Amino acid sequence: MRHQSVHLGAPEPAFLSDRTGTGPLARLFGLCNSEQAREYAPEKRSIRIHGHSTTIRLERAFWSVLEEMARDEGVTANALIARVHDHCLINNDKNLASCLRVVCLKYINLVA
């Protein structure tokens, strides 16, 4: 009698086992092409916040959202980042890059 080998690890998440290409992740990947791949690349920008120079490293996709937000607010991207910085300090969050990423995600959810 032959026994089949059994995989005892955790079950595969549904989005990974979706071999038909119809799940949310498959749809997202379907929208990506080689031109859009640059959105994943990190980009450093030097900015001034209240007279102090700092460098922020974010993926290009987040910079695009910040630029859109700044246009919607009628301010420069640097002025928008300074406003986010001030808000993060009030909430005791010392990681500006993380705060900017979360703000971008929340903004996308608001306008969607």
Side-chain angles (χ1 to χ4, degrees), residues 6-73:
V6 176
H7 178 66
L8 298 177
E12 191 174 54
F15 69 88
L16 289 178
S17 63
D18 183 7
R19 305 289 183 216
T20 64
T22 59
L25 189 60
R27 289 194 310 267
L28 177 67
F29 288 160
L31 297 173
C32 292
N33 57 39
S34 59
E35 176 64 26
Q36 293 168 331
R38 69 184 196 95
E39 292 291 305
Y40 293 94
E43 183 177 304
K44 287 183 182 180
R45 292 194 187 180
S46 295
I47 64 167
R48 292 185 73 77
I49 299 175
H50 306 306
H52 299 314
S53 294
T54 188
T55 301
I56 300 172
R57 181 180 173 169
L58 296 171
E59 292 73 15
R60 179 71 193 125
F62 290 109
W63 287 116
S64 297
V65 174
L66 289 170
E67 290 162 358
E68 179 182 334
M69 289 173 62
R71 279 191 304 273
D72 288 351
E73 292 289 319

